[in-house]
Amino acid sequence: EIYFLGKTIKNGDTSLLVHVNKSVLIDTQSSSEYSSVKQMLDDNDITELDVCIITHYHSDHYGNFENLVNDGYITSNTKLFMPAETTAYPSLDEAIQQFKEYCENNDLDYNVPEEFSTYNVDDYLSLQFFNTDATVIDSYTDTDPNNTSMIVLATYKNTKLLYTADARREVLERMLKENFANEKINLYKIEHHGINARCCAQLLQHQSPDVAVHTGGTERFQAGEFSRCETINILKDCGCYILPTFTQSE
């Protein structure tokens, strides 16, 4: 089962993958939305996460990390994956340092996965990581710090979910060229809350995923951003079924 949170939220992401007795949380949402994150975990009888992934150091993605630690959902037993530490994005330096100090003070070990590496959650569910090479990230011509986003490919048996976090077009174009030319993505988590200028038309048209999830939130829908989103319009043209969280259950 996969849960996406974002019904009433303007920005912010968190996704929960649950398989039998294993749980994977990808990003932790903005701190103002902790009650929704906690309810999602409690509704699934999760008292301790097996895996937690922070895709990048923006507060709408890591905002509840400390809350989850304080309430025991993240412990020393939780496998933590963090994005690469880069030098080309000084706006992230403070957040990176705070994360490192917090983990050290709370006896939490974290991993920066190697590019293309795979972590097996169990015999059926695996996670593969992309955009984790700091040297490559620092070489992007677009210096938007969202380009530090770690991309996650979750595979359950023969079904694949691509989670692109807030990566911009340059990153996604590299992913298509180097990694996903021969992959078939079944479920696509639309990048950066469905905001324009992130779209990689080549990736979307090549993959033509079966289902795509949009977590832009009610405010963005009311502002008309959903209907203007380039990503969504391309996916519709490809015959993809769009699931926006602001009109669905979480």
Side-chain angles (χ1 to χ4, degrees):
E1 295 180 334
I2 308 173
Y3 300 85
F4 299 92
L5 195 60
K7 187 173 183 179
T8 61
I9 301 164
K10 180 178 180 180
N11 274 346
D13 264 320
T14 191
S15 301
L16 176 67
L17 286 70
V18 180
H19 179 237
V20 191
N21 62 341
K22 296 292 185 179
S23 57
V24 178
L25 190 70
I26 304 178
D27 287 328
T28 70
Q29 196 51 260
S30 303
S31 59
S32 60
E33 300 293 336
Y34 182 56
S35 60
S36 298
V37 177
K38 187 178 188 303
Q39 181 177 345
M40 179 175 64
L41 297 176
D42 292 345
D43 287 348
N44 285 279
D45 297 321
I46 295 171
T47 57
E48 182 182 52
L49 289 161
D50 295 285
V51 179
C52 179
I53 300 168
I54 303 297
T55 60
H56 61 297
Y57 292 105
H58 277 169
S59 60
D60 58 336
H61 288 255
Y62 71 75
N64 285 306
F65 184 81
E66 292 187 15
N67 290 330
L68 292 168
V69 173
N70 292 337
D71 285 350
Y73 295 103
I74 294 175
T75 72
S76 58
N77 295 321
T78 303
K79 191 76 171 179
L80 298 177
F81 292 102
M82 304 295 185
E85 296 179 26
T86 65
T87 59
Y89 305 87
S91 62
L92 302 179
D93 290 349
E94 182 177 354
I96 292 172
Q97 187 60 35
Q98 288 177 349
F99 245 97
K100 292 171 66 177
E101 291 178 357
Y102 183 82
C103 289
E104 181 179 345
N105 293 336
N106 288 273
D107 297 321
L108 299 173
D109 293 327
Y110 66 91
N111 306 270
V112 177
E114 293 184 6
E115 187 87 351
F116 316 136
S117 63
T118 298
Y119 176 75
N120 294 316
V121 179
D122 58 24
D123 291 340
Y124 298 99
L125 177 62
S126 66
L127 307 169
Q128 191 171 14
F129 302 97
F130 307 94
N131 205 42
T132 62
D133 186 329
T135 303
V136 174
I137 295 171
D138 287 343
S139 71
Y140 291 137
T141 57
D142 184 346
T143 56
D144 186 326
N146 284 306
N147 276 345
T148 64
S149 293
M150 178 163 54
I151 294 175
V152 182
L153 178 67
T155 302
Y156 173 70
K157 296 184 178 179
N158 294 319
T159 301
K160 297 181 183 293
L161 158 67
L162 184 62
Y163 192 98
T164 58
D166 287 358
R168 290 178 67 96
R169 184 176 292 121
E170 185 175 5
V171 179
L172 300 177
E173 288 175 348
R174 183 175 75 86
M175 292 295 99
L176 173 62
K177 180 179 179 181
E178 297 185 6
N179 307 109
F180 297 120
N182 298 314
E183 294 279 3
K184 167 59 181 174
I185 304 302
N186 306 101
L187 179 58
Y188 184 76
K189 168 64 177 58
I190 294 175
E191 66 282 345
H192 203 261
H193 328 291
I195 299 173
N196 274 332
R198 267 62 180 184
C199 175
C200 176
Q202 299 98 316
L203 175 65
L204 299 176
Q205 292 165 348
H206 178 80
Q207 288 297 337
S208 187
D210 303 312
V211 179
V213 175
H214 178 283
T215 59
T218 308
E219 289 184 35
R220 292 199 179 281
F221 175 71
Q222 292 173 342
E225 292 187 23
F226 182 79
S227 60
R228 295 194 303 269
C229 178
E230 182 182 3
T231 298
I232 290 173
N233 291 328
I234 292 174
L235 288 168
K236 285 181 177 179
D237 289 342
C238 294
C240 179
Y241 184 57
I242 311 292
L243 287 173
T245 57
F246 49 76
T247 59
Q248 308 286 332
S249 298
E250 310 295 334

